[in-house]
Amino acid sequence: MSPEFLRRKNPGARPTAEAGPPTPLPEEVTAQEYQLKLHYAGKSSAGVRFKAGPRTIDEIPSMLAGIARSDVEVVEPLPIEYSQATPSIVHPSEAMQWLNAHHANSPITRHALMVLESIDAVDLAFDTFACGLLEGEIDTSGYPEYSAIVGGVASHWDEGNGDLVLRAVVGWGGRGVRGDTDRNGARILGGLLTNILANQYSMGLTALERPVPAAGRGGLVCAHCGFASAHERAFYCPKCGMRLLRG
Ligand SMILES: [Zn+2]
């Protein structure tokens, strides 16, 4: 004889809970509220045109002199294998690429990239970014507080003529906002732009638009430095600035 629990139930049987009369639904549901407000913001200056060349690239970190309150780290454009890298943890493939690309950077740089990539102020498909802590505090793990201002100088190659275009970029954000951060960000942006324009290789402000980020599967491999660009329309290697050979 099979045990009680293996017996077939009567297929027509309905639950026979000996419940009392049904509890009426409450007029209003009592809910426990949860909320997290994140606030990211930033500013980018107009572009400043430079004659292309290794001298200019080497000069860029010095443009943060007197402004940066940490070491300045230079982040180079991402190669094709990181073309989907995005600082968004709910997209694991993109997030893994982003972490693999940036896990060796300093906490300040990683925070700056997360803020500035999230608000689309920096795009490592074509930008080279020299950045550091510009104002405010870091926590005990070395990460900037929400009111700290991070940023520096982003540069990319003008696809028209191969000139280098530099711009000042600052950003901040996290769990909170402070009333004076926007004004301080504008002041620091002005200081960075002054440093860029004061450089001996500067050719002045340019109205050039930023390149349209690559949507496809990336561009060409640089014959000069071997960099595989993730920027589909690039005519100049995002990393070394040499003309890419097509066809
Ligand atoms: Zn190259």
Side-chain angles (χ1 to χ4, degrees):
M1 179 156 175
S2 51
E4 187 72 20
F5 70 91
L6 285 181
R7 285 208 188 127
R8 261 193 100 166
K9 284 181 184 153
N10 177 356
R14 305 183 61 175
T16 55
E18 296 290 325
T23 320
L25 282 173
E27 289 284 311
E28 281 188 32
V29 176
T30 308
Q32 185 88 41
E33 305 283 348
Y34 301 93
Q35 192 178 62
L36 169 64
K37 285 188 177 175
L38 293 175
H39 176 88
Y40 294 141
K43 297 175 186 292
S44 173
S45 76
V48 180
R49 186 173 295 277
F50 282 71
K51 263 286 166 248
R55 290 173 309 175
T56 300
I57 287 284
D58 293 342
E59 296 265 321
I60 291 176
S62 73
M63 295 170 191
L64 280 73
I67 297 177
R69 299 186 183 186
S70 69
D71 290 341
V72 174
E73 197 164 24
V74 177
V75 184
E76 297 193 321
L78 294 180
I80 184 74
E81 62 263 34
Y82 298 128
S83 61
Q84 304 296 315
T86 309
S88 167
I89 199 168
V90 291
H91 299 111
S93 170
E94 289 85 344
M96 284 295 285
Q97 283 195 14
W98 195 86
L99 283 173
N100 286 333
H102 301 302
H103 69 90
N105 292 123
S106 76
I108 292 169
T109 297
R110 237 183 346 266
H111 174 84
L113 290 175
M114 193 191 69
V115 170
L116 294 169
E117 288 187 72
S118 297
I119 61 176
D120 203 26
V122 163
D123 189 330
L124 292 178
F126 48 79
D127 279 326
T128 299
F129 189 40
C131 71
L133 180 73
L134 307 180
E135 183 169 279
E137 307 297 324
I138 54 174
D139 66 18
T140 51
S141 306
Y143 287 87
E145 303 281 3
Y146 72 88
S147 56
I149 298 174
V150 292
V153 176
S155 63
H156 69 268
W157 307 94
D158 180 346
E159 290 299 314
N161 58 15
D163 283 350
L164 198 58
V165 177
L166 275 57
R167 65 187 193 283
V169 182
V170 300
W172 60 88
R175 299 182 174 209
V177 268
R178 244 177 57 169
D180 58 350
T181 308
D182 192 278
R183 192 171 65 244
N184 292 337
R187 172 177 51 77
I188 293 168
L189 190 80
L192 287 168
L193 183 60
T194 301
N195 282 5
I196 295 171
L197 285 165
N199 187 273
Q200 56 181 325
Y201 302 115
S202 161
M203 296 191 294
L205 291 169
T206 177
L208 185 86
E209 298 287 324
R210 287 167 65 196
V212 178
R217 294 172 46 219
L220 302 170
V221 176
C222 176
H224 184 77
C225 72
F227 181 76
S229 171
H231 181 20
E232 194 168 52
R233 303 184 313 122
F235 285 101
Y236 294 88
C237 172
K239 189 162 184 177
C240 75
M242 298 295 284
R243 194 90 160 83
L244 291 170
L245 302 173
R246 287 186 180 267

